[in-house]
């Protein structure tokens, strides 16, 4: 056990936008994502993980075993057989001690390098934009004084495409595996004979000494990945898999003079072939498309050129927002890792991480809308497509499919809908898109209801249905009915379940016309106001008036029925009893309604927001972030559902459920309390954490959950990468703390920062223009802007209209005085 | 690689009813089942496997990883740390070479023994009838000349109950794990706080030197089961698991003088606790029921006594049918292993084996009815309960749920019905039950439709609905409509699927009113006749006449529209085209319709049966059994579905799908061709096989499938244990070859044997009587009985009525002459 600070395991290399892992035995696998379009790979710091095409459930390319023993065993491995020593550049799976080791996780690539007995091996893994292939460029160098004759073996294990079936239906799938081998390329064609018009291949650009495609042949039936028989014996089996478990392994003999290097390119490709062109001859797959793909990337020069392009791709993406502050940790988060994680959550939703097995949920309606909050500035055209895909899963009454599959883009009927916060997130994402892009044409786009192309309405109409879904589903206190659940999937007020085989999310056994959510109420005021503003902006005053009245009525209902005295209630349960009240024995206060009512400014003038957030600080704040509720439930509450099933301090039951912490940060900026907002921000931002053995997960990624103060190990993080935490923190730091806020009319500049900050600069791309923004804080205030100039000329108000500028412009902001 | 004969890996010990494995590196894990009531364990020859309570999906007690690397890693392991040497008595997981090894798989128990460096360790695993506990009795003996001081560590890994959730929902279940430790007992209580009124425990009857309940603590995060840090360091961590992966490991220090032994008892128990008694104090589970269970089995004497009872239990069960023939291999199959496998299939259906992951299918309607064919004589009262459970999943129109869950006994709505052979199997099992037991009271039992207790009818009425379901669903040729599929789940004539993510079984996109099945036609004639005979026996001549007419009409339809010239057609497809005809390019002949039409004797007089079975021999027979169809499909046929998706020679596409081979054997006995029938029998019966490296699976268990003649490795077997092959072979050898056939009136004696046989004796329990049957074949015939005596007195005809006998009787049968 190393000392509990981050440097024990690695460091940030900000210049290269990398995290460098220097110790393979990280507390948990520290992973990266390759690919950002259709072909994706997960890769750990020891090269574990897997690849898939678009959908981690239905189109899994390589096999991976979750919760495995040994941990994270299985990936794309290279074995080097140097005399009696067999080792891997990434340490695993042989775990042969290395003389040197590093893993550099960068933007869309990972470079794993190891050295042993005078040999140095470096493998660069990446997926080039625009193609469905993982490129693995391996460099083997002889640093010794003697000639080295070594054998190199590659290894990956094919998944039989459907990842769920692959791990369950053995009575079928042990009989279906099929491969072909042509020169140095191994083709995986299981089920290609039938309904699959796609295959995968694993190619090596060298002549082979041999190969294996049968796992039993390569490993020997009783060996682990650490002792493959083909490698320990030095004899590839040239095996052809029929059924059982097909793999792909190349064997290459390499001789290196002292100082000599050898570069090899391995390609893991995926191809779809039109039905009429599937076969070269009966039973033999058409390899022409694979040959073409190999011809594009198969040489060292091509691989190098493609890698350079990837660098440019990311340089351009991240250039959309670049901060220069006094603190490199903050710059690191804003400029690199938080933006990067936003790309990952955009692509993955909650489907595939080392905590999400990739076979469950597809894309969440709620999740994907929120993930966009951190994505609009990166690739607005893809954000637009995503919004339309999501909206197409909405029904005519405004309700929505809770999830949809990325491969088909169709709603997931097995889960259904009735999560009553869902529709509002469509307003959240669409108005944010409009503010970022000014592209109002999206509102006129015809979008299906329930994925039915024959039943469409305009996007604007979809927003109206979202708005009305709330007002059409009000409860006894004129607050929104919660349905199955609101944002907190585990607060199941209409599911009274005693059967452990029931899902809390899909079982509803109460009528659902009583239980109300203050979180939805807050969200309605916040996003309902955005809808109102949009209608006003579009000139539809009648609709704006109608909507505005509903919003004001909701504010009133919250103040009348949703205030507990020191904080906002969380909900009313199915019996009409208060949830999250000082009257309750357990869980007297929840974070969600404080966050949303504060963001919406409900009761701001009466001091309710201030009181609410003071209560958060008093009851929910901890050294590792803000817990969701307190005190945690110590027993199962039939009337509350899953939330009370977790041991105290974990997940939704007293855990720090990080996603919601930014709501409080934003709430603090509503109050102008920049020090407090930034204090909360720093407690969560990965680059600020130094207790790595406790935290366990990647030092460069946000977690969904950190164990709360009532857990056995407060501060232990879980479920890294796929969480709304990424988008919300990005949104919070850039818009609400640094204060660069897109508006329909331009950029609103309204920072809310720690009083100690003297200023910072931001390079911001906005609607095709490059804005250079310099913020000065000469008076040491948290909030308030006294002067703004655009290209040296004073601007009236706080919104800067860039439309008259050229390609770039200079904005200066002086804080201080009254805002 | 050892030579390809069975003796390389072990031998049968018939006296002890054991198979003795002598080499741990079997070609595939060779497993056994413990428990035959509610608590079940799967255990391999190296002690891999897992345990569950009733339902392998919903109530999994210990964790197991299917298709793992290393193969079969995970189970209940004992590590012995003797100086620097760490070893396991079952070789795995350390795979330390042993000085001696054996695994004895017996009737409901497995004994694994290993020796290393003068220490001998023997572990006996079994589940006592009547309780929910796996007993592990470990004996450690010092055979050396010196005192030995060793550390013993146990290990099992808890499954978080729902086996599907356990392998997928990590974002939740890494936070839920909870344990308690009290003295030498480790309690697993995950989710007990909420909806689960059950927990498990792992107890050791010795004082502990330490323990572990956290997997990471025991193994170290990057180690496999082969190098647990607690064992290699000799230091148990006394860890308490919170979330992540809870395990149970005891550490015991043992000192043994030369020649000294130490016996220990470990108990893996499962307990349910009434809601009102769940807690001893807040958060502390009520351990009183566990203390009681431990008090019943926790001492060496108690474990020994319980094991002796288990022996008596099996002695009584198997005593129901005992053969003494000239061939020990045949006796071994009939008396021991085939009966044993019938018990296993009765309990497991197709849910949990090393090929069935235990999370999919529950109990099949069709499967479970057929499994009863080998079970009635073992435990008729449980067979009765099973028939009633199955019948309760039938709907009013005679159709049925295709599957149901053993924990709830309710039909599985996700699969539904419309497999048109299903209803007939209820007639098959019920009439066989009546023949075995004479218990006609079952026919009056009120049984629900669709599991609705408020909508019941008599069991006899259920049979009528089954019968009528066929006649109500006839196609253009007056043959039975096939629905989704008949017995061959993969012949999907109404599913035209091009989407690989669709299920062939649950997708129907043709109207279904055209495609007809000759297999169902044959089954209708066979079981429809049994229904007719039953009605006649009950005195309901009107119903018997009505049913008989329908059966004769079906025979006529088969002869007119189902005969292809040399064999029976298999089906008509959705376009009305022939399937399994000489006119077809691929799959000209199928086994199922030959088997069923032959068993039913359709066209017997016209010579159709003989021609059909000659064609089977000519086209389908191979050295390893009879393939399902020939020639196998080489490409996907949209109109046939899944059958054409398998590579040629595997599974339903040209594989030897063993389940249906007995239909042909019985057909041969209809023709009186005893040599041919027995030849087919021997090709399948495991004890007759000697090509063990090729066959791979257990030498004592039938397989679902053996690779056919068009496969790359003909004779390679897969999917051992859970297959209708067990019941059908048992039914065939005992009733149709040995010719002991229960009838309503008594035992019909009608052997059909190889001409070379001189005779054999059978001890048969029948309706509470013990019949000693001696068959003589002085003339070397295959079929035909010339004389039968009961207690020395000649009997008229071939049916012996035992009702007037005492507890036991002697029957002698002389074959020869005209039958």
């Amino acid at each position: 056990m190393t000392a509990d600070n981050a440097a024990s395991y690695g460091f940030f290399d900000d210049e290269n936008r990398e995290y460098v892992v220097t110790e393979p035995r990280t507390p948990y696998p520290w992973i990266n994502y390759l690919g950002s379009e259709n072909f994706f790979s997960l890769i750990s710091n020891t090269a574990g993980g897997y690849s898939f095409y678009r959908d981690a459930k239905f189109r899994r390319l390589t096999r991976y075993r979750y919760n495995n023993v040994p941990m994270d065993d299985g990936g794309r491995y290279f074995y080097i057989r140097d005399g009696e020593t067999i080792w891997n550049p990434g340490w695993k799976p042989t775990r042969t001690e290395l003389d040197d080791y590093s893993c550099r996780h960068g933007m869309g690539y990972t470079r794993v390098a190891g050295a042993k007995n005078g040999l140095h091996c470096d493998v660069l893994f990446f997926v080039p934009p625009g193609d469905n292939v993982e490129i693995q460029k391996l460099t083997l160098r002889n640093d010794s004084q003697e000639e080295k004759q070594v054998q190199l073996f590659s290894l990956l294990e094919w998944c039989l495409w459907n990842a769920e079936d692959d791990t369950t239906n053995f009575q079928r799938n042990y009989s279906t595996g099929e491969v072909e081998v042509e020169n140095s390329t191994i083709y995986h064609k299981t089920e290609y004979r039938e309904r699959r018009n796609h295959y995968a291949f694993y190619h090596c650009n060298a002549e082979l000494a041999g190969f294996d495609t049968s796992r039993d042949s390569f490993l020997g039936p009783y060996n682990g990945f650490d002792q493959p028989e083909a490698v320990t014996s030095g004899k590839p089996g040239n095996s052809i898999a029929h059924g059982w478990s097909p793999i792909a392994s190349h064997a290459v003999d390499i001789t290196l003079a002292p100082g000599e290097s050898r570069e090899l390119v391995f390609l893991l490709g995926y191809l779809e072939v039109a039905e009429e062109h599937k076969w070269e001859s009966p039973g033999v797959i058409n390899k022409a498309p694979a040959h073409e793909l190999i011809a594009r990337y198969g040489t060292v020069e091509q691989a190098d050129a493609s890698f350079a392009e990837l660098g440019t791709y990311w340089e351009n993406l991240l250039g959309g927002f670049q901060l220069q502050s006094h603190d490199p940790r903050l710059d690191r988060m804003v400029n690199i890792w938080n933006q990067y994680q936003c790309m990952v959550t955009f692509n993955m939703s909650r489907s595939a991480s080392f905590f999400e097995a990739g076979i469950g949920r597809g894309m969440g309606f709620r999740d994907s809308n929120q993930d966009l909050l951190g994505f609009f500035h990166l690739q607005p055209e893809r954000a637009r497509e995503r919004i339309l895909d999501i909206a197409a899963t909405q029904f005519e009454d405004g309700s929505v499919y809770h999830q949809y599959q990325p491969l088909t883009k169709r709603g997931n009927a097995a889960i259904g809908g009735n999560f009553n916060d869902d529709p509002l997130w469509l307003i959240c994402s669409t108005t944010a898109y409009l503010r970022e892009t000014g592209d109002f044409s999206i509102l006129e786009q015809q979008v299906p209801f329930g994925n039915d192309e024959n039943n469409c309405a305009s996007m604007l109409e979809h927003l109206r249905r979202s708005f009305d879904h709330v007002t059409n589903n009000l409860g006894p206190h004129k607050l929104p009915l919660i349905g199955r659940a609101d944002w907190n999937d585990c607060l199941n007020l209409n599911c009274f379940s005693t059967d452990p085989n029931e899902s809390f999310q899909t079982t509803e056994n109460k009528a659902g016309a009583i239980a109300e959510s203050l979180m939805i109420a807050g969200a309605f005021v916040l996003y309902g106001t955005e809808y109102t503003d949009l209608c006003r902006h579009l000139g539809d005053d009648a609709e704006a008036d109608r909507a505005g009245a509903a919003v004001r009525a909701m504010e009133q209902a919250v103040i009348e029925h949703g205030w507990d005295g020191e904080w906002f209630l969380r909900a009313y349960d199915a019996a009409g009893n208060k949830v999250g009240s000082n009257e309750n024995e357990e869980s007297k206060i929840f974070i969600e309604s404080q966050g949303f009512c504060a963001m919406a400014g409900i009761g701001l003038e009466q001091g309710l927001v201030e009181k609410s957030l003071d209560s958060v600080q008093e009851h929910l704040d901890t050294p590792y972030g803000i817990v969701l509720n307190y005190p945690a439930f110590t027993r199962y509450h039939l009337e509350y559902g899953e939330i009370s099933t977790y041991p105290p301090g974990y997940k939704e039951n007293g855990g720090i459920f990080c996603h919601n912490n930014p709501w409080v940060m934003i709430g603090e900026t509503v109050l102008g309390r920049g020090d407090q907002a930034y204090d909360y921000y720093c407690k969560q931002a990965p680059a600020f954490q130094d207790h790595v053995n406790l935290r366990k997960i990647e030092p460069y990624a946000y977690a969904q959950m950190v164990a709360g103060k009532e857990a056995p190990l407060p501060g232990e993080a879980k479920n890294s990468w796929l969480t709304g935490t990424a988008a919300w923190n990005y949104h919070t730091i850039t818009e609400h703390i640094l204060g660069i806020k897109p508006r329909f009319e331009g950029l609103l500049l309204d920072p809310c920062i720690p009083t100690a900050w003297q200023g910072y600069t931001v390079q911001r791309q906005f609607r095709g223009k490059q804005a250079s923004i310099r913020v000065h804080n000469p008076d040491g205030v948290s909030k308030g802007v006294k002067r703004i100039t655009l290209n040296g000329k004073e601007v009236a108000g706080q919104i800067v209209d860039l439309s008259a500028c050229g390609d770039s412009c200079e904005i200066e902001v002086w804080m201080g005085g009254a805002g």
Side-chain angles (χ1 to χ4, degrees), chain A:
Chain A
M1 184 70 77
T2 47
D4 200 1
N5 72 76
S8 319
Y9 296 97
F11 59 90
F12 288 95
D13 176 348
D14 292 339
E15 197 175 336
N16 290 305
R17 292 178 174 136
E18 291 174 338
Y19 186 87
V20 188
V21 189
T22 54
E23 159 61 56
R25 299 168 192 77
T26 48
Y28 198 73
W30 288 357
I31 77 164
N32 194 12
Y33 287 84
L34 314 180
S36 55
E37 294 173 345
N38 291 307
F39 187 111
F40 299 103
S41 298
L42 285 72
I43 182 167
S44 72
N45 58 301
T46 57
Y50 62 95
S51 300
F52 63 94
Y53 172 75
R54 283 181 64 190
D55 191 313
K57 175 177 180 177
F58 287 124
R59 211 53 62 82
R60 186 83 62 102
L61 305 184
T62 58
R63 188 173 278 158
Y64 186 76
R65 294 165 180 81
Y66 277 86
N67 195 13
N68 205 1
V69 172
M71 180 165 74
D72 184 31
D73 222 31
R76 64 292 274 168
Y77 290 136
F78 292 97
Y79 298 87
I80 294 163
R81 186 170 190 273
D82 175 15
E84 290 306 295
T85 305
I86 292 165
W87 59 283
N88 309 98
W91 182 60
K92 286 199 68 169
T94 61
R95 295 183 291 149
T96 300
E97 284 303 319
L98 298 173
D99 300 333
D100 193 24
Y101 159 89
S102 69
C103 166
R104 289 180 170 264
H105 285 316
M107 302 290 103
Y109 69 88
T110 287
R111 187 187 290 274
V112 175
K116 183 77 181 174
N117 298 347
L119 274 173
H120 184 274
C121 182
D122 173 303
V123 193
L124 172 67
F125 301 86
F126 66 101
V127 173
D131 261 318
N132 296 319
V133 62
E134 178 181 308
I135 300 175
Q136 303 165 352
K137 189 192 157 202
L138 180 145
T139 307
L140 191 64
R141 192 178 68 225
N142 182 0
D143 288 339
S144 79
Q145 304 302 316
E146 291 164 17
E147 182 184 271
K148 287 272 192 183
Q149 292 189 354
V150 303
Q151 286 175 291
L152 174 75
F153 295 81
S154 68
L155 173 66
L156 57 79
E157 186 175 1
W158 301 112
C159 180
L160 306 187
W161 308 118
N162 180 321
E164 186 176 30
D165 199 69
D166 186 66
T167 56
T168 52
N169 191 8
F170 304 108
Q171 68 96 15
R172 172 178 163 84
N173 65 33
Y174 278 166
S175 287
T176 54
E178 290 188 291
V179 299
E180 286 184 31
V181 180
E182 181 196 54
N183 302 323
S184 299
T185 311
I186 294 164
Y187 293 86
H188 177 227
K189 62 169 186 175
T190 298
E191 291 188 345
Y192 187 76
R193 70 168 55 245
E194 40 143 327
R195 300 175 295 179
R196 297 191 180 277
N197 296 344
H198 56 83
Y199 61 76
F201 68 83
Y202 193 34
H203 167 81
C204 168
N205 75 336
E207 198 177 325
L208 302 188
F211 63 86
D212 270 296
T213 71
S214 154
R215 190 181 75 202
D216 279 353
S217 171
F218 180 75
L219 295 179
Y222 283 96
N223 296 330
F225 290 118
D226 56 335
Q227 295 181 315
E229 201 167 277
V231 182
T232 55
S233 71
K235 291 175 186 153
N238 298 335
S239 56
I240 297 293
H242 302 282
W244 299 106
S245 292
I247 60 154
S249 172
H250 308 91
V252 182
D253 292 339
I254 299 177
T255 302
L256 292 174
E260 194 186 0
S261 283
R262 173 89 183 268
E263 291 178 310
L264 293 171
V265 177
F266 293 83
L267 303 177
L268 167 62
Y270 168 84
L271 288 156
E272 298 186 345
V273 190
E275 179 70 33
E276 61 274 24
H277 297 123
K278 282 179 76 169
W279 302 99
E280 188 177 305
S281 60
V284 179
I285 63 175
N286 175 4
K287 302 182 187 67
H291 294 162
E292 284 169 31
L293 188 55
I294 292 167
R296 281 203 292 284
Y297 298 103
T299 70
V300 170
E301 296 71 25
Q302 287 169 326
D304 287 345
S306 176
F307 183 61
E309 278 171 35
L310 181 72
T312 307
Y313 173 89
W314 274 102
E315 179 76 30
N316 289 337
L317 283 181
L318 300 181
F321 199 110
Q322 288 289 305
L323 166 71
Q324 294 84 42
S325 77
H326 65 289
D327 191 334
R329 298 173 300 179
L330 178 61
D331 293 359
R332 181 179 295 156
M333 287 311 308
V334 171
N335 299 340
I336 307 171
W337 293 101
N338 196 354
Q339 290 198 61
Y340 187 64
Q341 189 168 352
C342 286
M343 172 64 97
V344 170
T345 58
F346 172 83
N347 283 313
M348 299 289 131
S349 187
R350 307 297 170 264
S351 70
S353 73
F354 271 34
F355 295 89
E356 296 280 5
I359 68 170
R361 304 201 284 170
M363 315 288 285
F365 188 98
R366 176 200 295 147
D367 299 324
S368 291
N369 275 303
Q370 290 176 83
D371 290 343
L372 288 167
L373 292 178
F375 187 76
F376 292 121
H377 72 292
L378 288 171
Q379 293 184 320
E381 67 291 348
R382 290 182 74 196
R384 186 185 204 271
E385 182 191 355
R386 176 65 53 83
I387 288 173
L388 296 173
D389 288 345
I390 295 171
T393 65
Q394 183 174 44
F395 297 102
E396 284 190 79
D397 70 350
S399 69
V400 307
Y401 278 117
H402 196 49
Q403 293 158 12
Y404 73 99
Q405 287 303 134
L407 198 63
T408 63
K409 294 187 174 178
R410 297 188 71 83
N412 188 344
I415 303 296
N418 206 14
F419 294 76
N420 282 351
D421 63 316
D422 271 339
L424 287 173
W425 298 111
L426 190 64
I427 299 177
C428 164
S429 66
T430 308
T431 55
Y433 171 78
L434 295 171
R435 289 193 297 270
E436 177 69 33
T437 63
D439 167 28
F440 286 87
S441 75
I442 194 174
L443 296 174
E444 286 139 44
Q445 182 84 34
Q446 290 294 302
V447 179
F449 288 114
N451 296 124
D452 177 2
E453 295 290 341
N454 299 314
N455 182 15
C456 293
S458 72
M459 189 64 210
L460 183 60
E461 178 62 21
H462 275 268
L463 299 186
R464 194 179 69 77
R465 305 279 176 113
S466 288
F467 184 91
D468 287 354
H469 187 266
V470 175
T471 55
N472 290 338
N473 290 278
L474 298 179
H477 303 93
K478 301 293 174 197
L479 294 166
L481 293 171
I482 195 167
R484 285 187 184 168
D486 59 25
W487 170 88
N488 188 336
D489 274 322
C490 295
L491 184 63
N492 314 113
L493 300 181
N494 291 309
C495 172
F496 281 44
S497 174
T498 55
D499 178 354
N501 302 317
E502 274 175 359
S503 158
F504 286 105
Q505 272 71 56
T506 58
T507 304
E508 282 176 291
N509 45 24
K510 291 286 162 179
I514 303 280
E516 299 167 304
S517 161
L518 268 300
M519 179 267 159
I520 303 180
F524 180 76
V525 173
L526 184 63
Y527 300 123
T529 300
E530 292 189 358
Y531 174 71
T532 306
D533 293 349
L534 173 61
C535 294
R536 193 77 65 195
H537 181 82
L538 295 172
D540 188 349
D541 285 335
E543 178 65 359
D545 291 345
R546 183 186 79 91
V551 167
R552 283 189 298 279
M554 186 68 76
E555 284 187 284
Q556 204 48 45
V558 171
I559 290 168
E560 277 178 32
H561 302 293
W563 182 251
D564 193 54
E566 298 291 324
W567 55 76
F568 293 101
L569 293 174
R570 176 62 179 87
Y572 285 94
D573 70 16
N577 295 321
K578 293 175 183 175
V579 181
S581 162
N582 202 29
E583 296 170 12
N584 296 117
E585 274 186 40
E586 302 193 310
S587 289
K588 292 167 177 287
I589 174 170
F590 287 74
I591 192 172
E592 301 100 322
S593 44
Q594 319 313 322
F596 259 94
C597 293
M599 286 198 291
I602 298 175
L604 183 65
E605 298 76 12
Q606 300 98 309
L608 302 192
V609 171
E610 189 173 356
K611 239 182 207 172
S612 153
L613 297 188
D614 287 348
S615 295
V616 166
Q617 205 178 335
E618 182 180 347
H619 300 292
L620 302 181
D621 189 25
T622 84
Y624 303 105
I626 308 165
V627 298
L628 190 145
N629 55 316
Y630 185 81
F633 296 106
T634 61
R635 63 177 181 84
Y636 179 49
H637 293 254
L638 186 64
E639 70 280 19
Y640 297 159
E642 187 171 8
I643 189 170
S644 60
T645 70
Y646 285 102
Y650 285 134
K651 295 279 289 178
E652 285 88 343
N653 186 25
I656 299 159
F657 207 91
C658 306
H659 182 140
N660 52 39
N661 277 219
W663 304 344
V664 173
M665 299 175 206
I666 298 171
E668 291 288 350
T669 69
V670 169
L671 293 173
R673 306 200 295 203
D675 282 296
Q676 184 60 57
Y678 191 65
D679 180 57
Y680 286 141
Y681 175 84
C682 295
K683 282 180 177 174
Q684 287 215 320
F688 289 76
Q689 312 312 320
D690 204 29
H691 48 284
V692 68
N693 275 317
L694 171 62
R695 192 171 182 267
K696 277 198 175 73
I697 62 157
E698 296 89 343
Y700 43 87
Y702 280 100
Q704 179 213 57
M705 195 274 297
V706 174
K709 54 186 173 178
E710 293 167 280
L713 277 177
E716 183 187 52
K718 286 174 184 167
N719 308 348
S720 54
W721 283 102
L722 302 185
T723 163
T725 311
W728 271 105
N729 270 287
Y730 187 76
H731 172 76
T732 300
I733 188 69
T734 58
E735 297 205 18
H736 296 279
I737 295 178
L738 298 174
I740 322 279
K741 305 185 181 191
R743 287 292 177 268
F744 299 147
E745 304 83 3
L747 284 177
L748 169 63
L749 299 162
D750 189 22
C752 182
I753 58 176
T755 48
W757 284 16
Q758 296 174 7
Y760 51 92
T761 64
V762 168
Q763 305 298 321
R764 175 67 154 98
Q765 282 167 17
F766 185 67
R767 302 185 193 172
K769 313 281 171 81
Q770 183 72 36
S772 178
I773 303 164
R774 177 174 299 273
V775 175
H776 310 272
N777 186 24
D779 304 340
V781 300
S782 267
K783 192 161 183 175
V785 168
K786 56 185 178 190
R787 182 164 173 249
I788 297 178
T789 62
L790 170 62
N791 290 332
K793 289 183 196 158
E794 192 132 358
V795 171
Q798 286 179 247
I799 296 182
V800 180
D801 179 0
L802 303 187
S803 57
C805 298
D807 288 348
S808 64
C809 63
E810 304 274 336
I811 298 171
E812 291 210 65
V813 179
W814 285 267
M815 298 179 67

